[in-house]
């Protein structure tokens, strides 16, 4: 797996330090409240596991299975909620965690949905935010790292379902990319 990585973009120890800082900021922003953490599957699993273990407080963890369609000529920008039942967020203090903010469509749709479902407060955290114009009007409250508009894997992010277990974020070598499935956006 490591042989497929062209360049380590964000090393494990750099992620560790940044997560310490994000956790402190989240602690300050949710004083004494029981946070409902909502993890967007699957990419945010690793980030959320490491971040929530830095929050020494009572919290609840839920997951949301959301699918979005990226890039390509047939892109509709539609975001589908795939779970039969969404978490009950009415009156709750919610922290949504995702691995990457790219076009912004996913995060925008999730925040809108949770707000419509009656969440009292919705804050958002992403490990990575691409430095680009967003198709949807949204920015995250907590950002680990701002990166360029390039395709990255590791620390939860995948290419064709793989590389999520790399402990760092990196770019893929050309030799690891299937010419028939070139990544367009962060899909
Ligand atoms: C990826 C990523 C974000 C979303 C970001 O999800 O995990 O949720 O795309 O892109 P956007 O800002 O353009 O909406 P994906 O649908 O690839 O699922 P995954 O997390 O299971 O890999």
């Amino acid at each position: 797996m490591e042989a497929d990585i062209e360049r380590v973009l964000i090393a494990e120890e750099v992620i560790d330090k940044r997560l310490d800082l994000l956790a402190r900021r989240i602690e300050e922003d949710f004083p004494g409240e029981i946070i409902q953490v909502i993890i967007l599957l699957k990419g945010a699993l690793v980030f959320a596991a490491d971040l929530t273990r830095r929050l020494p407080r009572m919290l609840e963890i839920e997951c949301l299975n959301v699918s979005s369609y990226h890039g390509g000529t047939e892109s509709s920008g539609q975001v589908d909620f795939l779970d039969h039942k969404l978490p009950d967020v009415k009156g709750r203090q919610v922290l949504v965690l995702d691995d990457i903010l790219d076009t912004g469509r996913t995060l925008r749709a999730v925040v809108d949905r949770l707000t419509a479902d009656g969440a009292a407060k919705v804050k958002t955290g992403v490990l990575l935010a691409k430095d680009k114009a967003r198709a949807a009007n949204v920015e995250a409250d907590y950002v680990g790292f701002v990166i360029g508009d390039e395709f990255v894997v590791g620390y939860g992010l995948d290419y064709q379902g793989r590389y999520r277990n790399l402990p760092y974020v990196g770019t893929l070598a050309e030799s690891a990319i299937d010419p028939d499935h070139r990544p367009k956006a962060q899909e």
Side-chain angles (χ1 to χ4, degrees):
M1 177 170 68
E2 301 254 357
D4 289 352
I5 301 306
E6 179 189 61
R7 185 164 52 100
V8 175
L9 205 62
I10 310 169
E12 197 174 354
E13 54 274 18
V14 177
I15 296 174
D16 273 352
K17 285 210 182 74
R18 185 65 186 162
L19 261 52
D20 288 343
L21 196 91
L22 290 188
R24 282 203 295 277
R25 286 187 43 211
I26 293 167
E27 280 297 307
E28 286 166 14
D29 289 354
F30 289 87
E33 297 157 3
I34 298 179
I35 309 174
Q36 189 176 35
V37 178
I38 298 191
I39 302 171
L40 303 191
L41 298 175
K42 304 170 190 165
L45 278 173
V46 178
F47 170 50
D50 284 349
L51 184 64
T52 54
R53 284 179 297 167
R54 284 170 163 82
L55 300 173
R57 52 147 66 237
M58 198 74 87
L59 55 76
E60 294 165 14
I61 294 181
E62 303 273 0
C63 294
L64 261 190
N65 210 346
V66 175
S67 99
S68 47
Y69 302 96
H70 303 274
T73 45
E74 69 276 82
S75 169
S76 63
Q78 188 190 331
V79 175
D80 290 329
F81 291 80
L82 304 177
D83 301 290
H84 290 302
K85 194 172 179 295
L86 297 183
D88 181 7
V89 294
K90 214 172 178 50
R92 302 298 308 269
Q93 313 286 320
V94 176
L95 173 64
V96 178
L97 295 179
D98 205 356
D99 54 349
I100 189 162
L101 180 60
D102 187 356
T103 66
R105 288 192 178 108
T106 304
L107 206 56
R108 178 77 268 158
V110 169
V111 170
D112 287 349
R113 180 63 183 261
L114 299 176
T115 304
D117 286 352
K121 167 160 132 184
V122 181
K123 293 262 190 188
T124 54
V126 295
L127 175 73
L128 307 172
K130 283 194 173 176
D131 185 15
K132 65 188 272 191
R134 312 255 178 258
N137 182 23
V138 66
E139 288 302 328
D141 297 296
Y142 312 101
V143 176
F145 305 92
V146 176
I147 63 167
D149 191 10
E150 60 185 331
F151 186 79
V152 292
V153 296
Y155 204 77
L157 292 115
D158 75 306
Y159 170 59
Q160 297 194 315
R162 299 176 182 174
Y163 305 101
R164 294 192 199 273
N165 55 321
L166 279 173
Y168 52 79
V169 174
T171 57
L172 267 184
E174 190 63 30
S175 56
I177 296 172
D178 177 351
D180 294 331
H181 295 96
R182 304 196 70 79
K184 292 182 190 103
Q186 201 66 31
E187 61 188 6

